Amino acid sequence: MRTAARLAIGMAAALWLAGCAGTLGERHVVTQAEQGAYEAAQKEVTRKPAAGRAALTKFIEQYPESPLANKARVTRGDLLLSSGDQAAALADFEEIVRRAPRSDEADVARVRIARIELARGDARTARDTLGRVRLARLAPADRADAYRTLADSADNGVSQVVWLSKLRAETPQPEAVQAVDARIEVVLSRLSESELEQLGEELGNAPPAASVALTRAELLLDAGEVDAARAALARAEQLPLTAPQAERLAALRERLAGRVAATEPGAGAELPDFAAAEAHGLPDTRAAHGAIGVVLPLSGPYAAFGEESLRGILLAAGIFGGRNGADPAAPPLRVVVRDSQGTPAVAAAAVRELAADDEVSAIVGPLVSAECEAAAATAQELGIPLLALTAREEVVRDRHWIFRLRTRPAEETQLLVERARALGAERFAILYRDDAYGRGLRSLFWDAVEAQGGRVTAVASYPPGAKDFADSIRRLVGYTLLDDGEKALIAKRESIMTRARRLPPSEALALRAEAQAIHKSDGSPLPPIVDFDALFVPETAEGIGLIAPHLAFHEVTGVRLLGPDGWYDPDLVRLGGEHVEGALFVSHFFPESPVAYVHDFSVRYRDAFASEPAVFAAQSYDAANLVLVQLSARRPSRDSVREGVLETASYPGVAGVMTMGSDGNAHKRPFLLQVVGGEIVQVE
């Protein structure tokens, strides 16, 4: 009886579903006539798309409620998309979702809708649409398309790499996998150390986990975070590695063992200052002729930096106004430019193409670390000098054809400490952001202080993104480890100071004197104990603009503020006001420099391009001039250019005085800047 009852109920349910087919948009039985008409329409699609579309339309009109109708709508929508009729295609896909929202065809339609919305510039709608797709039910090709769309519409780099990782797993063709890997490398090169750490946790052991660990190790080494870099490399060793990744790991292991950049004392201090370098004479490039290759990202996410760099090269080559007094009748100089697109494979191919031109004596570029690595490997293989503009120091490792021209953080901190010591500072404090950047510069600055005979007497950190620095500053000046009695005395003093701030200055003097007379029971002073002469804050201009007023509010006064290259911004004084007066910091380039040859570069750049020169233009200008010096000296062969660049010493570069190291890494003296009378000026 129970079995019969179940059968009756099942038959009734089936009849009810069939009767509701118009409501659900689904029917479980396909007639032979429907099947035949559908197959005939599909044959027309493969034979002739236009005729196929007409056949599909006829089928949909004849059998609008057939389970095959939505399959036909998917095919017709794809045909409409391929013909460029986006609106009509979207109507088909939306109709599928309306009629049968839980069907497999609706999942496919949502993938197509998301792609259309992304093409229209609505990434958020694309993501939301794909959020309703049952990805596991899609066919492999549709699932790959969904992952690709999720990566393209991602609102942050971590999510983008996660989806690219899933796309990689769905990609069977080796060439397509290489293209996905190249895209992943570009995204990884833009991520911060903390983002890479988060990404590593999300990926687990899935590719590209090894690339994530290696890229994170590079950033940590750049920042001087030796222990964290060691852990990142150990993580990479536990993962399957490709041959290039294994080579990269070995190079990073060497760099970790030596940590040359972080431990070399006085590399920047050994160089002459700008005035002395200028006195040696500017390089003569008037007789240069031949060809210089250029590989830069002129399209893609780094195009603005690539364009800026190209302008510097063109200015050096005399395209705008001659090169250092070149004779207009001098033999022509060719600049052969290739767009790397910010992609390693394209950069490598560009180097190979330029190397095939026998007149090209050397190549300047690229910029981005991943593309620089690929370009450097190819240039080394083909034996052509490549002057890379990357921050990655290991790009020159075991490559005698490769040179790297960027200033190193160790040289920035050494110059800062050298100047502060010359001004009488003996005791130093460090207030740093607690991330790889802040911790790395903290370590380098501390090393430089001790190497030059100074002492670090106070150190405190604050979390990334902080807006209130009160707790960090109070730790810096001794507000920790106080007993209850001392805390009560401090509260009393602060209450008196608060009252004083509300009074006119003349009336507040007595209250301030009363507050300052409050001491511990043993007569020793209460915090703030400012037992340092200078304070190093590795931050941006915006960051120090927030921190400097906090320091003054907490009575950290009478100390000299010191900062890295990140401080340089024409708006620094506006951001920090009177609180940054007297501050010292370094910069890779200073367009307002009074040094004659730097001033000349800035004027020529403004005249040629009607815009302000930035560091990318200055660095590429120097790189091109290094090659032009060799060509002017009748050293056009690639061997002689390499030897000449390697012999560069005390070179008056507009992006810093430079001597080339024997390993191909430039030693540079950056610009030393100071806020004087509310103006940023260069000092020596």
Side-chain angles (χ1 to χ4, degrees), residues 289-361:
H289 68 278
I292 299 177
V294 176
V295 178
L296 291 169
L298 302 175
S299 60
Y302 305 104
F305 304 127
E307 289 286 350
E308 176 84 17
S309 301
L310 180 59
R311 290 176 177 180
I313 294 168
L314 295 177
L315 200 65
I319 305 301
F320 300 94
R323 54 181 186 275
N324 295 348
D327 182 352
L333 177 72
R334 287 199 300 139
V335 179
V336 188
V337 182
R338 294 293 179 268
D339 179 9
S340 67
Q341 302 174 21
T343 304
V346 177
V351 169
R352 195 170 294 279
E353 182 181 349
L354 290 171
D357 185 338
D358 291 337
E359 284 192 21
V360 174
S361 299

Side-chain angles (χ1 to χ4, degrees), residues 115-155:
R115 201 73 202 171
I116 291 170
E117 294 295 349
L118 182 61
R120 290 175 165 182
D122 192 345
R124 182 171 182 176
T125 298
R127 290 195 302 271
D128 291 346
T129 301
L130 288 169
R132 296 189 290 274
V133 174
R134 299 165 298 179
L135 296 169
R137 294 177 67 98
L138 293 171
D142 290 323
R143 190 159 51 248
D145 195 26
Y147 290 148
R148 185 178 296 104
T149 306
L150 284 163
D152 291 345
S153 63
D155 58 356

Side-chain angles (χ1 to χ4, degrees), residues 372-546:
C372 263
E373 178 62 28
T378 305
Q380 178 67 24
E381 172 196 341
L382 300 175
I384 184 168
L386 184 137
L387 285 73
L389 305 173
T390 179
R392 275 186 62 188
E393 295 175 34
E394 68 272 16
V395 74
V396 303
R397 186 82 62 186
D398 297 324
R399 292 172 176 156
H400 63 277
W401 289 98
I402 312 303
F403 301 92
R404 193 198 68 89
L405 304 183
R406 289 278 292 273
T407 305
R408 301 185 299 180
E411 291 161 345
E412 297 181 30
T413 55
Q414 287 156 12
L415 182 59
L416 270 178
V417 174
E418 174 192 337
R419 179 62 177 175
R421 295 283 287 137
L423 293 172
E426 296 183 359
R427 303 165 303 167
F428 295 82
I430 307 170
L431 179 62
Y432 67 96
R433 189 172 67 220
D434 192 12
D435 59 10
Y437 173 80
R439 293 191 298 267
L441 283 177
R442 173 206 64 190
S443 298
L444 291 175
F445 185 83
W446 202 325
D447 289 346
V449 168
E450 294 185 343
Q452 298 188 43
R455 289 184 298 125
V456 175
T457 59
V459 178
S461 67
Y462 53 89
K467 301 298 182 185
D468 185 347
F469 306 93
D471 289 344
S472 301
I473 294 171
R474 289 168 71 87
R475 289 197 306 274
L476 191 73
V477 292
Y479 278 93
T480 56
L481 304 177
L482 298 172
D483 61 33
D484 290 341
E486 291 164 345
K487 290 178 182 177
L489 288 172
I490 288 173
K492 178 181 178 182
R493 186 186 64 189
E494 290 182 348
S495 175
I496 295 172
M497 291 297 290
T498 299
R499 286 160 49 204
R501 291 187 189 104
R502 296 176 184 147
L503 297 174
S506 59
E507 299 177 26
L509 285 175
L511 281 178
R512 289 183 184 277
E514 179 185 344
Q516 291 165 0
I518 299 175
H519 285 69
K520 295 181 183 179
S521 57
D522 62 1
S524 60
L526 289 167
I529 302 170
V530 184
D531 58 347
F532 45 88
D533 310 307
L535 172 61
F536 178 60
V537 186
E539 255 296 350
T540 62
E542 184 178 354
I544 192 59
L546 290 173

